[in-house]
Amino acid sequence: MIQSILDNDLYKFTMQQAVHMLYPRAHARYEFINRGLTPFPDGFAEKVELKLEKMADLKLSLDQKTFLEKSCYFLTPVYLDYLESYRYDPGEVMIKQDKDILILKITGPWYRTILWEVPIMAIISETFFKMTCQKTATALERRAINLNKAKVLAANGVKFADFGTRRRYSAGNHKGLIQDLLSRENHTLIGTSNVHFAFLFNIKPIGTFAHEWFMFHAALHGYQMANPSAQDAWVKVFHGDLGIALTDTYTTDVFLSTFDTFHAKLFDGVRQDSGDSFAFVDKIIQHYKRLHIDPSAKTIVFSDNLDVEKAVKIHQY
């Protein structure tokens, strides 16, 4: 299910470097929240636990390290040496099942436990689909769907990145999707958040930071200082690289209240991950204008539950 140590989203590695550099003594606890109240079948936790134990064998290969050195220039030699020695410790994960309820917690040093979230979510998703025998399209049907998505997005000039690891049907399906997208001439796929598939297909790994970066800084400095302190810490590590700021951890309005001229000029753009995408565009444009910044020189990345139709409408707007 998990193909390699790189079968994870890029922002987990970028944040791990930042944590390793700035907060090596911080401890964290993650807890699985079943937002859809999905009932899990008998024996589900045991199946997942077996997959997690196998992850202890994963390690960074020389070819993978070379790829990261070339494609992720913002990752330091010190961090890459650390990642080369890193091994998942299944002892950091507690998983059990109470009837159809899954209980899962991850506890330990933040610089270590930060890598667990995405692959665990991918394992939960794939295990669920396998155990419940949910029907899916045939290989030919999936390819037709994938190629049509690529066709529509390209015809409308929509540049997009794959960000599907944590909710994928399976690792094989995920790989097939990217293969299909890349097979179309003049596709507009600019990369993937999944570093394993970026390595496999020699495409750009995409990502910056996640909500947990802001959540940690809220715990450290208080909620009022969470956004600016998180951005300032990020800049200390990456010096202007990876400059797409996440806006919605404590609502966009709260984020913008401290997204001053300094930060707005320093960061290349922002990411919208909740709320009304169209209202967000208007709000961000007006905010840049108030700061006397040309909005057309900035970028908005949209990542909130997109499908092809919605992506096209947002792009046209």
Side-chain angles (χ1 to χ4, degrees):
M1 291 184 180
I2 301 302
Q3 307 298 292
S4 76
I5 198 169
L6 295 185
D7 196 0
N8 206 328
D9 286 334
L10 177 65
Y11 69 15
K12 283 295 179 173
F13 297 108
T14 55
M15 288 190 297
Q16 186 181 46
Q17 173 173 297
V19 174
H20 191 266
M21 186 179 297
L22 299 179
Y23 309 114
R25 291 182 172 83
H27 278 244
R29 186 184 72 171
Y30 299 80
E31 184 172 349
F32 174 71
I33 297 175
N34 183 2
R35 292 191 294 183
L37 302 179
T38 303
F40 290 94
D42 290 341
F44 186 84
E46 288 82 357
K47 293 273 190 182
V48 171
E49 189 169 25
L50 288 174
K51 298 297 181 183
L52 299 183
E53 290 173 357
K54 291 182 179 179
M55 289 179 62
D57 298 327
L58 300 176
K59 60 182 180 180
L60 191 71
S61 70
L62 180 58
D63 287 348
Q64 290 172 332
K65 186 178 182 182
T66 300
F67 171 77
L68 293 177
E69 289 171 341
K70 292 180 179 178
S71 63
C72 301
Y73 54 88
F74 39 79
L75 298 179
T76 67
V78 172
Y79 170 68
L80 291 177
D81 284 348
Y82 165 72
L83 186 60
E84 192 173 25
S85 67
Y86 177 88
R87 300 294 183 273
Y88 281 103
D89 178 5
E92 295 166 346
V93 183
M94 184 282 293
I95 182 169
K96 62 182 180 179
Q97 190 169 350
D98 181 5
K99 297 180 181 178
D100 63 359
I101 298 173
L102 182 67
I103 302 165
L104 191 153
K105 296 179 182 179
I106 306 162
T107 308
W110 192 24
Y111 74 88
R112 288 193 46 80
T113 55
I114 196 168
L115 290 190
W116 276 112
E117 178 194 358
V118 175
I120 283 183
M121 294 295 288
I123 288 171
I124 289 173
S125 182
E126 185 167 350
T127 302
F128 178 80
F129 288 124
K130 281 189 174 182
M131 291 187 70
T132 56
C133 300
Q134 295 198 17
K135 292 183 179 180
T136 184
T138 66
L140 286 176
E141 289 170 337
R142 287 198 301 271
R143 178 168 170 77
I145 292 169
N146 295 340
L147 290 176
N148 184 64
K149 288 180 180 180
K151 177 182 177 180
V152 173
L153 291 167
N156 287 277
V158 181
K159 295 179 181 179
F160 69 101
D162 157 60
F163 204 94
T165 304
R166 70 183 64 213
R167 295 181 178 90
R168 67 191 182 194
Y169 178 81
S170 69
N173 191 64
H174 194 179
K175 179 181 179 181
L177 166 71
I178 297 177
Q179 284 178 312
D180 291 342
L181 296 174
L182 292 175
S183 71
R184 178 176 170 79
E185 189 176 357
N186 299 322
H187 66 80
T188 49
L189 178 70
I190 62 171
T192 173
S193 66
N194 186 289
V195 187
H196 169 75
F197 289 123
F199 165 71
L200 193 63
F201 296 109
N202 195 29
I203 57 178
K204 184 178 181 179
I206 302 283
T208 53
F209 45 28
H211 295 92
E212 69 178 286
W213 186 250
F214 295 88
M215 293 162 69
F216 170 80
H217 287 86
L220 193 65
H221 298 297
Y223 290 108
Q224 290 185 335
M225 291 302 296
N227 289 313
S229 64
Q231 292 170 77
D232 291 340
W234 194 253
V235 172
K236 285 181 183 178
V237 177
F238 294 105
H239 305 283
D241 288 324
L242 304 175
I244 299 295
L246 183 59
T247 58
D248 72 334
T249 308
Y250 301 110
T251 76
T252 299
D253 287 339
V254 168
F255 174 86
L256 292 179
S257 70
T258 57
F259 196 52
D260 55 17
T261 303
F262 174 77
H263 292 101
K265 286 188 173 181
L266 185 60
F267 281 81
D268 300 320
V270 294
R271 176 158 74 95
Q272 187 263 343
D273 198 48
S274 62
D276 186 317
S277 302
F278 304 96
F280 181 88
V281 172
D282 296 337
K283 184 173 290 188
I284 293 299
I285 287 174
Q286 290 305 314
H287 186 76
Y288 279 131
K289 285 182 176 179
R290 280 196 297 273
L291 298 178
H292 307 286
I293 296 171
D294 178 8
S296 67
K298 297 296 182 178
T299 297
I300 302 178
V301 176
F302 298 90
S303 59
D304 179 27
N305 195 29
L306 298 179
D307 56 25
V308 170
E309 182 180 4
K310 185 177 179 182
V312 170
K313 288 180 178 178
I314 292 171
H315 178 72
Q316 290 172 343
Y317 187 76

